[in-house]
Amino acid sequence: MNGIRKIALVTQVPCREDVIDFLNKLEVDLIVGLGDVECPQYIKKYKGILGEMEDITTQKYLRKNGLLIQEGVLDLFISFSYRKVITHFPPRNPRGSQKVLAEILSNIPEIVFHGHLIEQKVYDIGKTKVVSVGSLEKGYYVVYDGREYELKRSSH
């Protein structure tokens, strides 16, 4: 993914004109969806991973157009063997994934960005910084430049 210097990380993106317009006007090189993105076909500069809410049509669209993240973007990867990771599910119960938690504990990545949750927050699991990007429907997103991240909130 040469030339990408700044990305916006989003989840829970409703298919509303104000939200799509907001995303398309963001001054970033790429919008990375962390799952539960209703209509990625209208978002410019979009690539993403799947959550549990994408229907089969959306999944086929992302695969057919090469927009499903399979490896890495900037320096974020979907494999926990890397230092910086993106995932849909959080690593905590009751709404989290035990598998994600186990991967963090065994691989100890530097940082994990995840979707799925409404709230935006940052917390630690051992030496790993965990960032819940929060629901874009509520205005939350994260901007990341490969070194630092910034929690953001918009009113669309």
Side-chain angles (χ1 to χ4, degrees), residues 26-69:
L26 275 178
E27 294 183 14
V28 295
D29 300 303
L30 188 67
I31 308 288
V32 173
L34 299 183
D36 300 343
V37 177
E38 288 185 0
C39 51
Q41 66 272 27
Y42 300 118
I43 303 170
K44 298 174 187 171
K45 302 185 273 186
Y46 180 86
K47 279 191 166 236
I49 60 176
L50 300 175
E52 76 279 8
M53 303 301 290
E54 282 82 4
D55 63 23
I56 193 68
T57 303
T58 300
Q59 292 177 38
K60 286 180 180 179
Y61 168 80
L62 293 174
R63 282 187 177 95
K64 178 182 177 191
N65 292 288
L67 301 177
L68 191 61
I69 296 174

Side-chain angles (χ1 to χ4, degrees), residues 10 17 33 40 45 50 56 64 87 93 95 102 105 120 122 124-125:
V10 298
E17 189 174 344
K45 302 185 273 186
L50 300 175
I56 193 68
K64 178 182 177 191
T87 182
N93 279 333
R95 296 176 286 177
L105 293 173
Q120 183 180 65
V122 178
D124 296 317
I125 296 178

Side-chain angles (χ1 to χ4, degrees), residues 11-25:
T11 192
Q12 295 187 6
V13 179
C15 194
R16 291 193 338 239
E17 189 174 344
D18 62 327
V19 175
I20 302 302
D21 285 345
F22 168 76
L23 285 174
N24 287 334
K25 291 177 183 172

Side-chain angles (χ1 to χ4, degrees), residues 10-156:
V10 298
T11 192
Q12 295 187 6
V13 179
C15 194
R16 291 193 338 239
E17 189 174 344
D18 62 327
V19 175
I20 302 302
D21 285 345
F22 168 76
L23 285 174
N24 287 334
K25 291 177 183 172
L26 275 178
E27 294 183 14
V28 295
D29 300 303
L30 188 67
I31 308 288
V32 173
L34 299 183
D36 300 343
V37 177
E38 288 185 0
C39 51
Q41 66 272 27
Y42 300 118
I43 303 170
K44 298 174 187 171
K45 302 185 273 186
Y46 180 86
K47 279 191 166 236
I49 60 176
L50 300 175
E52 76 279 8
M53 303 301 290
E54 282 82 4
D55 63 23
I56 193 68
T57 303
T58 300
Q59 292 177 38
K60 286 180 180 179
Y61 168 80
L62 293 174
R63 282 187 177 95
K64 178 182 177 191
N65 292 288
L67 301 177
L68 191 61
I69 296 174
Q70 302 289 329
E71 291 293 324
V73 58
L74 196 52
D75 63 350
L76 299 172
F77 293 86
I78 58 176
S79 169
F80 283 88
S81 62
Y82 289 90
R83 294 182 38 168
K84 298 175 183 179
V85 178
I86 56 174
T87 182
H88 173 66
F89 289 106
R92 301 237 183 208
N93 279 333
R95 296 176 286 177
S97 165
Q98 285 300 112
K99 182 176 189 263
V100 171
L101 179 58
E103 291 284 354
I104 289 172
L105 293 173
S106 65
N107 291 293
I108 314 171
E110 178 182 320
I111 191 165
V112 174
F113 293 97
H114 71 77
H116 188 69
L117 299 180
I118 292 171
E119 58 273 357
Q120 183 180 65
K121 61 184 175 179
V122 178
Y123 54 98
D124 296 317
I125 296 178
K127 294 181 180 181
T128 300
K129 182 76 59 192
V130 180
V131 179
S132 172
V133 303
S135 169
L136 187 62
E137 187 167 20
K138 301 291 184 192
Y140 298 114
Y141 66 105
V142 170
V143 173
Y144 178 68
D145 69 2
R147 294 177 311 277
E148 298 179 0
Y149 64 90
E150 185 176 356
L151 304 179
K152 299 281 209 165
R153 183 139 195 218
S154 165
S155 60
H156 312 311

